[in-house]
């Protein structure tokens, strides 16, 4: 049975963020994820999780100056100290929220440096982060983002993420497989899932090409859920999409897929 987590950054946006936890639970979700939790006290977020019986499946490490277009710094040469300095805060939030998976955003390529320098920076930073977080049981994930939505992002293809995970060689490092991004950049998703196999640390879904509800567009997700099960993935599936006409109005897919998987 697929387990779905509501992405509270994208879903229920008609409500203040703190109220989205209860809305997600009322809609039938058992877990949530978000991009960045740091605007709110960890204790308040933990209270929302506890009171609504929810699991925090994932959140992202700080991205740098998001408003200015930054999308992380894990792969950006010259920002190693900034990346590493954020790790205590990431750990504190993860422990407070009972969250065991965090996404380290690679960042937009800096043309002042070679791609090889970016890669080496990413490898060294993720090894450092993984070693810092391993005692607390926290896994660090790398997610490729498609070049249409995020031009210039360092990591765009799933096979590159897998190669990096293998080179980093830490047991608490994995691939965050967003099937929306993967379809745009790689395709052949059934075989891709099989290739990634145990490296898959988290999964996210949305329709392609419009990033709306996952029961429309060109991806047949029920088939991919079976492929994920064959690959051994048993974790949460994050619903990171933009509702086409209101979150609640578009949740027929959730009720249908939950009923057919029981």
């Amino acid at each position: 049975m697929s387990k779905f987590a509501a992405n509270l950054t994208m879903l229920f946006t008609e409500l203040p963020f703190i109220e989205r936890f209860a809305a997600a639970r009322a809609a039938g979700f058992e877990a949530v994820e978000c991009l960045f939790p740091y605007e709110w006290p960890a204790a308040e977020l933990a209270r929302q999780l506890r009171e609504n019986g929810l699991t925090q499946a994932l959140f992202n490490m700080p991205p740098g100056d998001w408003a200015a277009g930054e999308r992380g710094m894990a792969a950006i040469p010259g920002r190693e100290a900034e990346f590493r300095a954020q790790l205590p805060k990431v750990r504190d939030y993860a422990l407070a929220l009972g969250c065991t998976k965090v996404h380290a955003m690679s960042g937009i390529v800096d043309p002042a440096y070679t791609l090889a320098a970016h890669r080496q920076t990413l490898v060294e930073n993720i090894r450092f982060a993984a070693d810092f977080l391993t005692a607390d049981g926290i896994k660090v994930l790398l997610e490729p983002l498609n070049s249409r939505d995020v031009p210039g992002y360092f990591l765009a293809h799933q096979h590159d993420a897998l190669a990096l995970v293998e080179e980093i060689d830490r047991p608490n490092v994995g691939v965050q497989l967003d099937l929306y991004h993967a379809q745009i950049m790689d395709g052949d998703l059934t075989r891709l899932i099989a290739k990634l196999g145990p490296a898959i640390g988290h999964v996210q879904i949305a329709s392609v090409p419009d990033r709306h509800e996952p029961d429309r567009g060109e991806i047949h997700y029920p088939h991919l859920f079976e492929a994920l099960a064959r690959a051994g993935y048993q974790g949460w599936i994050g619903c990171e999409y933009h509702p086409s006409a209101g979150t609640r109005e578009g949740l027929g897919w959730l009720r249908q897929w939950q009923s057919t998987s029981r």
Side-chain angles (χ1 to χ4, degrees), residues 13-34:
T13 55
E14 66 278 9
L15 299 171
F17 184 80
I18 290 297
E19 296 180 18
R20 297 175 196 174
F21 291 83
R25 185 62 187 182
F29 289 100
E30 297 180 359
V32 295
E33 60 179 36
C34 65

Side-chain angles (χ1 to χ4, degrees), residues 6 8 29 60-61 65 70 80 105 108 126 140 150 153 173 175-176 182 195-196 201 219 225 234 241 251:
L8 297 186
F29 289 100
N60 290 356
M61 293 186 183
D65 190 343
E70 292 187 348
E80 293 88 346
M105 299 192 74
I108 305 297
I126 299 305
V140 182
V150 193
Y153 195 73
V173 174
V175 176
Q176 184 169 320
K195 180 179 179 181
L196 293 174
I219 301 178
F225 296 155
Q234 298 180 339
Y241 64 84
L251 284 177

